[in-house]
């Protein structure tokens, strides 16, 4: 605060803060008429000039250059000109306020009275963001920009000692790096972290000595420095073998090492950084890592994302959230299969996705070849003789054999060799059997089967019964990829069974009959079709009901739902209202409902290797193949070309 007194005894006050510049009284425009001393007039003018200069100097950092110049020019003339008008003074006052407000809003740093930068006050999260930005700019070579960022913000990318340590590593000064590492010891939390870091540094030194053809020095490093750490003994023994290679190229390959230089040292630095806390040294490529996590989360939450694989940063724009449209989703019928003459009860793609099997009340098993480019189905073979119709189809893990089961009245099952297009075996154990369900073990040479009359068999590929379990009335079977046998029974339960010890364990219990179920590839989730209730999702590990899906019409008929999508994040099921319902796994309400069938849809099978196609089987005697509009156009074009030729 600057204070002066005019000749009449009035006190003038100039209040100065970071945002405003005000005066308690207007600055005098003329001499006091009662004052006959001209020297007093000159003194007042000089004081006013000095006050204005001090004001301008103090607010210099808050004003634009043009404003500062204007203020200085105004106060550089004689006293009468400097105070000729209150309007000029108010004009200066308003410009100062406007300029300073703009500066504060942009959060810029400004110089203090002694010319040093006064950084804006940043929150902890803002400081971390600035550090991440600085690290990224540094990684792409914009070092001058990083210097400006550090200078203006007052933030540093990493601890000074850590920065020195990095420079020594990247320049290959191993002895100095080990000394610098000791200074960082206080920041390393892992009890043996310092030893592990030394080992990594000395390992790099050892490899570079070998490359420099300094075998004796490398041996000394191995014997006296690396072995002296007394850790990672097996790795140390392995290091000795790299001295024996005649070719550096062979040594690089065996050691999985890129050779002396920037890349290998940068890889070393990334390994070392994992031992240091982030407030001392940022983890490598931290901003890219965070952005990749954000992209993965957006992919997971995208309702219609079906593109195979995981999105990377180059696949998306960081300027907007990732979102797929319905047009990228399998939502149109690209082919209708009409070879069956009666209700189609089951359909299933082979594990390798090259074939589709369909089973019907007409007693025929149809095998289709799948064009993996257009997803067009071509009938390959019809297998007949299933007099009670086909209610269940099970492909072996190698996509060669398929088991076919009938209805409750059927006491036999068939194993067909699809490649040889012949029957491999036919199993009939007793006339009282009801074999309605089957599932292969991961080996592809054995399977389990059973039915509603209490039969439960463990068999080989030729249909020979190896073991049996009495009194289990089965509705559906499944074997996980790790060999766990799961069965739904008439008691509304799903249990796991072990034939070697004849022990079982209940996992799920529902309030209504379980008509069918399937399990996710990782064995974690089970998808159940429940009589009169619809589709339920269960967590088999936690034994908890996860979600009940809405919309589908489910009575007391058997219906088969399916997982689908790149990571099985979608669920599809047929319905007795002749529609196909599709949900995102996390949403109870359907995201799409497909029309096209004219009667109950009994089964849906999603392609195991391409998320862009699935099949639905219906009582209207047809099987519909669903894919994206793009594939629909491709098939129409292909059909048009075939017709014209």
């Amino acid at each position: 605060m600057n204070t002066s007194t005019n000749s009449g005894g009035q006190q003038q006050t100039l209040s100065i803060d970071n945002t405003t510049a005000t005066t308690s009284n207007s600055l005098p425009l003329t001499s006091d008429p009662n004052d006959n001393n001209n020297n007093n007039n000159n003194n007042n003018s000089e004081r006013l000039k000095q006050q204005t200069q001090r004001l301008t100097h103090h607010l210099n950092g808050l004003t634009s250059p043009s404003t500062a110049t204007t203020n200085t020019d105004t106060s550089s003339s004689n006293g009468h000109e400097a105070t000729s008008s209150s309007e000029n003074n108010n004009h200066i006052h308003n410009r100062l306020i406007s300029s300073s407000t703009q500066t504060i809003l942009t959060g810029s740093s400004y110089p203090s009275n002694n010319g040093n930068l006064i950084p804006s006050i940043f929150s902890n999260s803002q400081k971390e963001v600035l550090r991440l930005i600085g690290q990224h700019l540094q990684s792409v070579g914009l070092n001058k920009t990083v210097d400006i960022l550090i200078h203006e913000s007052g933030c540093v990318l990493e601890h000074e000692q850590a920065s020195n340590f990095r420079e020594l590593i990247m320049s290959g000064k191993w002895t100095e790096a080990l000394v610098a590492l000791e200074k960082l010891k206080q920041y390393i939390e892992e009890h043996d972290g310092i030893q592990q870091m030394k080992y990594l540094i000395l390992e790099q030194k050892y490899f570079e000595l070998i490359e420099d053809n300094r075998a004796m020095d490398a041996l000394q490093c191995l014997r006296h420095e690396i072995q002296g750490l007394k850790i990672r003994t097996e790795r140390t023994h392995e290091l000795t073998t790299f001295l024996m290679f005649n070719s550096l190229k062979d040594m690089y390959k065996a050691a999985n090492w890129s050779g002396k230089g920037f890349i290998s040292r940068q890889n070393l630095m990334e390994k070392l950084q994992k031992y240091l806390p982030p407030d001392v040294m940022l983890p490598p490529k931290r901003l890219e890592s965070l952005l990749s996590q954000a992209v993965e989360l957006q992919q997971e939450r995208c309702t219609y994302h079906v593109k195979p694989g995981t999105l990377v940063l180059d696949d998306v724009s960081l300027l907007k959230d990732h979102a797929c449209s319905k047009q990228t989703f399998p939502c149109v019928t690209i082919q209708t299969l009409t070879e069956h003459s009666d209700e189609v009860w089951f359909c299933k793609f082979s594990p390798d996705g090259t074939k589709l099997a369909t089973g019907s009340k007409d007693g025929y098993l149809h095998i289709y070849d799948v064009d993996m480019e257009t997803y067009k189905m071509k009938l390959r073979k019809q297998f007949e003789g299933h007099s009670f119709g086909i209610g269940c189809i099970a492909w072996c893990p190698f996509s060669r054999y398929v088991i076919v089961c009938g209805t409750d009245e059927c006491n036999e099952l068939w194993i067909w060799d699809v490649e040889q297009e012949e029957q491999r075996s036919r199993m009939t154990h007793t006339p009282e059997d009801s074999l309605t369900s089957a599932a292969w073990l991961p080996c592809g040479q054995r399977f389990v089967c059973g039915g509603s009359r209490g039969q439960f068999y463990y068999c080989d590929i030729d249909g020979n019964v190896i073991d049996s379990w009495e009194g289990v009335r089965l509705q559906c079977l499944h074997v996980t990829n790790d060999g766990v046998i799961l069965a739904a029974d008439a008691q509304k339960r799903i249990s796991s069974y072990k034939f070697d010890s004849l022990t079982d364990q209940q996992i799920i219990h529902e309030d209504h009959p379980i008509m069918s179920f399937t399990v996710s590839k990782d064995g974690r989730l089970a998808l159940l079709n429940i009589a009169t209730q619809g589709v339920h999702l269960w967590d088999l590990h936690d034994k908890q009901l996860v979600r009940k899906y809405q919309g589908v019409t489910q009575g007391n008929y058997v219906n088969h739902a399916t997982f689908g999508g790149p990571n099985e994040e979608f669920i599809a099921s047929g319905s007795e209202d002749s529609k196909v319902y599709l949900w995102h796994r996390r949403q109870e309400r359907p995201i799409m409902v497909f029309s096209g069938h004219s009667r109950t849809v009994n089964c849906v099978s999603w392609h195991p290797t391409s998320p862009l196609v699935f099949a639905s089987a219906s009582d209207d005697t047809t099987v519909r193949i669903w894919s994206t509009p793009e594939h629909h156009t491709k098939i129409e074009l292909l059909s048009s070309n075939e017709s014209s030729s």
Side-chain angles (χ1 to χ4, degrees), residues 96-117:
L96 289 173
I97 293 176
S98 174
S99 179
S100 64
T101 303
Q102 181 181 10
T103 305
I104 294 298
L105 289 175
T106 58
S108 300
S109 302
Y110 56 89
S112 65
N113 289 331
N114 59 11
N116 296 325
L117 273 180

Side-chain angles (χ1 to χ4, degrees), residues 314-558:
D314 290 338
D315 295 330
V316 299
S317 170
L318 298 179
L319 304 181
K320 60 181 181 179
D321 289 344
H322 168 73
C324 297
S325 70
K326 292 183 179 181
Q327 296 302 309
T328 64
F329 205 79
C331 57
V332 296
T333 300
I334 61 172
Q335 188 178 4
T336 303
L337 309 179
T338 59
E339 286 79 10
H340 284 294
S341 60
D342 210 332
E343 299 172 357
V344 186
W345 291 340
F346 207 94
C347 63
K348 189 71 173 178
F349 284 104
S350 60
D352 63 6
T354 61
K355 304 174 189 67
L356 172 68
T358 63
S360 170
K361 185 180 179 180
D362 63 14
Y364 283 92
L365 170 71
H366 290 176
I367 304 295
Y368 295 86
D369 287 323
V370 181
D371 186 319
M372 297 301 291
E373 182 178 355
T374 64
Y375 304 124
K376 187 175 182 180
M377 309 292 156
K378 182 178 181 181
L379 183 62
R380 173 174 179 165
K381 181 68 177 179
Q382 291 180 324
F383 296 102
E384 59 183 359
H386 314 91
S387 56
F388 292 95
I390 298 173
C392 176
I393 297 171
W395 283 95
C396 83
F398 311 117
S399 302
R400 176 172 180 176
Y401 301 109
V402 62
I403 298 175
V404 176
C405 301
T407 59
D408 289 341
E409 297 79 16
C410 184
N411 66 346
E412 58 184 355
L413 59 75
W414 293 258
I415 301 178
W416 297 99
D417 186 333
V418 176
E419 289 186 5
Q420 298 297 322
E421 298 184 355
E422 62 184 15
Q423 180 179 295
R424 169 64 189 260
S425 58
R426 184 174 179 177
M427 175 183 168
T428 304
H429 193 54
T430 67
E432 293 78 22
D433 282 350
S434 173
L435 302 180
T436 58
S437 184
W440 290 90
L441 270 68
C443 64
Q445 298 297 314
R446 296 186 177 185
F447 64 92
V448 289
C449 61
S452 59
R453 298 177 183 173
Q455 299 81 22
F456 192 5
Y457 300 126
Y458 182 79
C459 312
D460 64 19
I461 195 171
D462 295 317
N464 300 313
V465 176
I466 300 173
D467 207 343
S468 64
W469 202 310
E470 298 297 330
V472 182
R473 299 171 60 194
L474 298 180
Q475 183 66 31
C476 187
L477 281 166
H478 185 90
V479 180
T480 63
N481 291 333
D482 55 359
V484 177
I485 300 171
L486 301 174
D489 60 29
Q491 304 302 315
K492 310 168 188 174
R493 303 172 301 185
I494 291 180
S495 303
S496 62
Y497 293 85
K498 295 181 179 180
F499 273 90
D500 54 354
S501 60
L502 290 180
T503 58
D504 64 313
Q505 181 181 9
Q506 178 180 308
I507 300 176
I508 291 173
H509 188 275
E510 280 277 3
D511 296 330
H512 297 80
I514 302 172
M515 308 307 294
S516 69
F517 76 96
T518 187
V519 177
S520 59
K521 293 177 183 178
D522 61 6
R524 179 68 186 258
L525 301 173
L527 193 60
L528 285 60
N529 283 84
I530 309 298
T532 71
Q533 301 300 303
V535 182
H536 292 181
L537 181 68
W538 280 78
D539 188 313
L540 296 177
H541 292 186
D542 295 338
K543 301 180 182 180
Q544 294 288 328
L545 176 63
V546 177
R547 195 160 286 111
K548 296 180 180 181
Y549 296 101
Q550 303 174 10
V552 68
T553 302
Q554 173 82 50
N556 291 298
Y557 293 103
V558 177

